[in-house]
Amino acid sequence: MAEQQLEQIEGTVEDIIYENTDNGYMVFEVSGGGVVTVVCGIVGELHAGESVVCRGRYENHATYGRQFHAQECETDMPKDLEAVYAFLASRSLPYIGAKTADKIIDLFGAQALEVIANDPARLTQVPGISADKADRIQQEFKRMFGMRELIAYLAQFEISPRRAMEVFRVFGPGAMNAISSNPYLLCGEPLQLDFRHADSIAQYYHMEGDCAQRLEAALLRTLRHNAGNGHTCLPRAQLLDTASNFIHQPPEKLAAALDRCLETEELCVRMFDGTPYVYLPDLLAAEQDIADRLALLTRRGKNPVCDLDRNIQVLELTQGFAYAPLQKEAIRKAMTENCLVLTGGPGTGKTTTVNAILQLLEHQAERVALCAPTGRAAKRLSELTGRKASTIHRLLEVDYTGGVVSFIHNDKNLLKCDVVILDEMSMVDVKLFQALITALRYSCRIIMVGDADQLPSVGPGNILGEVIRSKLVPTVCLNEIFRQAKRSLIVENAHHIISGEPLQKGGKTDDFFFLESDGDAAQRLVCDLVTTRLPRSYGFDPIRDIQVLCPTKLGPTGTQALNVELQNLLNPEQTGKPQLQSAARVFRVGDKVMQVRNNYEIIWNRIGGEQGVGAYNGDIGIVESINTRDRSMVVRMDDKRLVYPAENLGELEIAYAITVHKSQGSEFPAVILPVAQVPPRLCYRNLFYTGVTRARKLCIVAGRRDVVNRMMGNIRQNLRYSGLAYLLQAELPPEQTEAE
């Protein structure tokens, strides 16, 4: 039905106005029937002179007027003399410009492209074109039209031009042969296309549902999908059952396929407590590298430190307070051990302890690198310590050449530091931590700081929890709430949540409140708190100071519904206010937005002149300006300005309300936590705890008391399959193992 409603235009590509070669987004002019039409959309690769048939819809642009947004685009090789010349003169092929195009047309006329494709040696008749240049011209021509052929071929299986271009970049001119032999290559690394696309192609070639390629691909897909849910491995039996349900094939057939994958080392298996666990090779390598490095650090002799207790006393005298016994223990271990975990909830003195450790390390002229997994966490660490802190990505320096993420600092280009202090350790996944330790000298000490009761990382693994559980690495858990923190109900209730005790009700002067409400009424309450009550009573800026944190995206108090309501209330549509629509989202100047996936290429300019690249999942900013002409936006994130072109707008979401998961590592002056309707799978204690502990000055829980009780009563954190604790325990000295 939707296809019938699409309008169609056809003609010749006159000019390319804008092109993004990474994702196939283009703006171009099409001439046909005496009319020139501006067309935009993700259409792959086009060149002047090509014949096109575009299907889509006309839209009225505020600046440009009527434009055609193409959803489909079919192309054909230029045929008439004028189109062939336009194509050659467009500099699409190497060594051919307008003058050389004239010479080629003079010799071969409208048959020029057939000569290039099938008999490139004849090009040497053109002055200036050698045999080598003729071969290069043919190769680029075949690449260009091979990609075009692939885009058209994959379109019948509902694979977009952008993804088709990615397929071509991976497989090259032999892409169609590779896909027809094994369509399930599309589901593997690095493409990871939807399994149903591969199934569609397999059915087209009459492949059986239990063919070896499909069975093996289902196993790999199951492991990759579960890595996205935080698991680094799966028990063999669970892997077989899950894959069996996914592709509706018996577990016995999948077991045979799994054995083949293990033989070819496409997958790996390790035995933990008598149970076989199956890994993707890269995730096993990550956990094994982490275990090896931490074991190496724990086996190295302790660092001798002169007058350590006296230096601690000097710090106490200088600062006018005494450290608690556990803080002193943490300081001593940080100075003498090669590896340390420092953990504790809010108000237990982690920052005070870290600052003491920093002063003593600097007194010894140690080179210290302070880092955290996110930009906001790094900024907060810098504010709390008064020292420069960076994200792990920035510390390692991202290298994105060739479209693959790597780091400039690695095992061949080590970081020049003696100690790394890594904050918000619960947020770090195994691949990122592996990259960090790979770039450290073997003598470099590691201090991991975090709150083990918070949500684990978005990526695979649960490093902080697994390291603590293994008991290999020296660990200090701060548990005393200090006097100044005891005055905060946020801090007090955070500890009540972890211990399962009832929440303390807030009075008028407190910083924590529970307001009972449900359904649409809860939505209205949250909106009223953000827009009116908190700004009026506390002076909070509703956009910059107040953050709504939702357990879920769905329902009246999920992020989706609340963002629509809050945007309309806080930043409504106004005549003269620029706005852009991207998919279902509308962005306006002044909107709060969040980066929802890593972009290692986007350029930012820091106020003051510094320039860099990269925006990361969870970064929050304000839309500063919108250019409706080229459909771009400037977003201010802290002290950085980033330009988002049209094709990158999908990386941003409205962020008046965000999920608790997205808030990890951040703090906000005021937090509103709606818990009216929370799905059972999200009703667990550490999610509620993480939301509450994001608040710095005020926390309001709005919702149903029974939901709060359910969340607090569910002590089972989301189970994550990981072998790191087992790998670490294997490194324990025999005497410690026996004692356990």
Side-chain angles (χ1 to χ4, degrees):
M1 188 72 176
E3 286 187 13
Q4 295 174 354
Q5 295 174 351
L6 295 179
E7 298 177 78
Q8 178 172 301
I9 63 168
E10 50 187 296
T12 303
V13 178
E14 289 289 324
D15 188 28
I16 306 298
I17 300 170
Y18 173 81
E19 179 179 15
N20 184 304
T21 56
D22 288 332
N23 62 14
Y25 181 86
M26 299 187 78
V27 182
F28 54 101
E29 291 180 339
V30 174
S31 174
V35 177
V36 176
T37 305
V38 175
V39 182
C40 59
I42 297 176
V43 297
E45 186 177 345
L46 289 176
H47 303 274
E50 290 185 276
S51 300
V52 294
V53 177
C54 299
R55 283 179 285 275
R57 293 185 179 85
Y58 283 100
E59 293 182 5
N60 287 313
H61 193 277
T63 303
Y64 304 120
R66 206 163 183 238
Q67 289 185 330
F68 193 83
H69 284 254
Q71 296 180 23
E72 302 171 4
C73 184
E74 295 175 8
T75 60
D76 201 0
M77 195 178 296
K79 290 184 174 64
D80 62 52
L81 191 63
E82 188 178 343
V84 171
Y85 174 77
F87 173 75
L88 292 174
S90 69
R91 299 185 177 274
S92 301
L93 296 174
Y95 313 116
I96 300 178
K99 290 182 180 178
T100 307
D102 281 330
K103 296 173 184 176
I104 294 173
I105 292 293
D106 287 343
L107 278 170
F108 307 117
Q111 304 303 308
L113 299 186
E114 290 185 22
V115 171
I116 292 171
N118 303 313
D119 196 5
R122 294 175 64 188
L123 288 176
T124 57
Q125 299 173 34
V126 179
I129 297 183
S130 64
D132 182 59
K133 286 182 178 178
D135 285 341
R136 291 275 308 276
I137 291 168
Q138 185 197 42
Q139 287 171 18
E140 175 59 17
F141 184 81
K142 284 190 170 180
R143 183 204 67 79
M144 192 182 295
F145 286 94
M147 182 184 290
R148 186 64 36 69
E149 186 182 13
L150 182 67
I151 288 171
Y153 167 73
L154 292 178
Q156 63 186 317
F157 304 109
E158 300 181 356
I159 296 173
S160 70
R162 180 179 67 83
R163 301 309 307 269
M165 291 172 70
E166 293 172 10
V167 173
F168 191 88
R169 278 196 284 271
V170 171
F171 295 108
M176 289 181 65
N177 287 334
I179 293 166
S180 61
S181 300
N182 182 5
Y184 297 97
L185 292 172
L186 296 173
C187 308
E189 298 288 350
L191 295 166
Q192 294 191 30
L193 267 67
D194 196 306
F195 204 88
R196 65 185 174 87
H197 292 312
D199 267 347
S200 296
I201 300 170
Q203 288 165 17
Y204 179 81
Y205 288 109
H206 306 291
M207 296 175 71
E208 298 293 333
D210 62 352
C211 66
Q213 297 99 319
R214 186 169 189 255
L215 296 173
E216 291 170 16
L219 293 166
L220 292 164
R221 182 264 177 198
T222 301
L223 284 167
R224 273 193 300 273
H225 177 77
N226 279 278
N229 293 330
H231 306 290
T232 61
C233 54
L234 286 178
R236 178 184 170 104
Q238 184 167 331
L239 170 60
L240 294 174
D241 284 345
T242 306
S244 171
N245 291 331
F246 176 59
I247 61 167
H248 308 294
Q249 291 293 326
E252 310 82 65
K253 290 186 177 180
L254 284 155
L258 175 55
D259 290 336
R260 287 193 298 272
C261 289
L262 294 173
E263 285 172 19
T264 59
E265 297 183 348
E266 281 187 273
L267 296 175
C268 307
V269 66
R270 291 291 184 272
M271 296 292 292
F272 302 132
D273 278 349
T275 299
Y277 286 79
V278 183
Y279 278 90
L280 292 165
D282 63 321
L283 292 178
L284 176 59
E287 289 201 334
Q288 191 64 65
D289 285 352
I290 293 167
D292 291 346
R293 174 57 68 92
L294 296 182
L296 180 75
L297 288 169
T298 58
R299 284 198 296 266
R300 252 190 18 228
K302 293 190 179 186
N303 303 296
V305 182
C306 297
D307 300 321
L308 179 55
D309 285 338
R310 189 172 65 82
N311 289 335
I312 293 173
Q313 286 178 345
V314 170
L315 279 179
E316 290 177 322
L317 289 169
T318 305
Q319 295 176 141
F321 61 81
Y323 297 112
L326 281 174
Q327 287 181 303
K328 287 182 182 179
E329 183 186 341
I331 296 166
R332 290 190 190 98
K333 285 187 174 178
M335 300 304 296
T336 57
E337 302 282 356
N338 297 295
C339 189
L340 174 70
V341 170
L342 174 62
T343 183
T348 57
K350 287 199 303 291
T351 301
T352 303
T353 307
V354 169
N355 278 326
I357 292 166
L358 277 168
Q359 290 184 66
L360 293 177
L361 289 170
E362 289 165 356
H363 179 70
Q364 293 185 174
E366 303 268 21
R367 295 170 298 180
V368 183
L370 283 170
C371 59
T374 67
R376 283 185 158 264
K379 184 172 183 279
R380 181 168 160 265
L381 180 60
S382 185
E383 291 168 352
L384 293 172
T385 61
R387 295 162 176 84
K388 181 184 175 183
S390 66
T391 62
I392 301 172
H393 285 89
R394 193 159 188 208
L395 180 67
L396 297 176
E397 298 182 60
V398 174
D399 181 10
Y400 199 63
T401 54
V404 179
V405 179
S406 60
F407 295 102
I408 291 171
H409 289 289
N410 49 41
D411 58 343
K412 295 179 179 60
N413 182 23
L414 301 175
L415 289 164
K416 294 177 180 161
C417 56
D418 305 306
V419 184
V420 167
I421 297 179
L422 177 50
D423 197 20
E424 296 289 352
M425 189 65 201
S426 62
M427 297 177 62
V428 181
D429 65 55
V430 292
K431 296 284 286 185
L432 187 56
F433 195 51
Q434 178 195 31
L436 176 62
I437 61 170
T438 300
L440 299 179
R441 302 176 181 193
Y442 278 105
S443 59
C444 184
R445 292 140 62 192
I446 302 173
I447 299 172
M448 295 169 276
V449 184
D451 185 346
D453 292 312
Q454 284 192 30
L455 290 169
S457 61
V458 175
N462 181 16
I463 298 175
L464 185 60
E466 293 282 288
V467 169
I468 294 171
R469 188 162 73 88
S470 75
K471 299 185 178 178
L472 176 70
V473 176
T475 299
V476 178
C477 180
L478 303 177
N479 53 25
E480 180 183 347
I481 304 175
F482 289 95
R483 189 180 300 112
Q484 63 271 24
K486 285 180 180 175
R487 302 191 198 107
S488 166
L489 264 191
I490 295 172
V491 172
E492 192 175 334
N493 278 329
H495 288 270
H496 283 320
I497 293 167
I498 294 305
S499 62
E501 299 173 50
L503 296 177
Q504 296 296 305
K505 296 178 182 178
K508 288 185 178 181
T509 60
D510 286 312
D511 58 3
F512 181 98
F513 300 95
F514 174 74
L515 303 177
E516 199 156 359
S517 191
D518 193 12
D520 291 340
Q523 183 189 90
R524 290 192 296 273
L525 172 61
V526 170
C527 292
D528 188 41
L529 287 166
V530 174
T531 60
T532 306
R533 291 167 63 173
L534 298 191
R536 184 180 60 208
S537 300
Y538 296 89
F540 289 131
D541 183 294
I543 294 176
R544 298 179 188 277
D545 295 333
I546 302 171
Q547 186 62 61
V548 180
L549 301 181
C550 307
T552 178
K553 293 181 179 181
L554 305 177
T557 53
T559 57
Q560 293 177 359
L562 282 171
N563 273 321
V564 171
E565 295 298 320
L566 288 168
Q567 185 187 41
N568 289 335
L569 290 166
L570 293 171
N571 196 24
E573 184 175 1
Q574 291 178 8
T575 305
K577 179 185 286 186
Q579 68 177 43
L580 282 178
Q581 182 153 359
S582 175
R585 306 180 190 93
V586 175
F587 298 106
R588 302 184 185 118
V589 170
D591 272 333
K592 182 192 281 190
V593 293
M594 171 180 274
Q595 179 80 19
V596 294
R597 57 179 169 269
N598 292 341
N599 182 331
Y600 301 99
E601 293 183 293
I602 195 164
I603 297 170
W604 52 257
N605 289 280
R606 183 168 274 126
I607 298 160
E610 184 187 357
Q611 189 177 80
V613 294
Y616 302 104
N617 191 354
D619 289 350
I620 293 176
I622 305 291
V623 177
E624 205 167 68
S625 63
I626 290 176
N627 186 328
T628 55
R629 182 176 178 81
D630 61 8
R631 294 180 55 79
S632 68
M633 298 195 316
V634 175
V635 177
R636 172 87 172 263
M637 293 183 176
D638 295 324
D639 61 345
K640 297 186 292 190
R641 286 190 175 95
L642 297 92
V643 178
Y644 284 81
E647 63 272 14
N648 289 127
L649 294 182
E651 300 173 3
L652 293 171
E653 288 183 356
I654 301 298
Y656 299 103
I658 64 175
T659 62
V660 175
H661 285 84
K662 290 286 189 184
S663 74
Q664 287 177 267
S666 300
E667 278 193 348
F668 310 94
V671 164
I672 299 170
L673 188 61
V675 288
Q677 295 171 336
V678 181
R681 64 184 179 82
L682 294 171
C683 274
Y684 50 95
R685 185 180 291 180
N686 65 345
L687 187 143
F688 188 50
Y689 172 81
T690 300
V692 169
T693 55
R694 299 308 88 204
R696 194 160 61 241
K697 296 179 180 178
L698 179 68
C699 179
I700 295 179
V701 177
R704 286 164 39 191
R705 197 172 299 277
D706 64 313
V707 174
V708 171
N709 292 337
R710 252 197 326 271
M711 294 182 81
M712 288 186 58
N714 184 3
I715 60 172
R716 188 188 74 83
Q717 299 182 8
N718 274 0
L719 173 66
R720 288 201 167 187
Y721 290 112
S722 166
L724 181 58
Y726 295 106
L727 295 171
L728 289 165
Q729 286 167 350
E731 302 292 341
L732 285 169
E735 61 274 13
Q736 194 173 341
T737 306
E738 290 167 12
E740 294 296 326

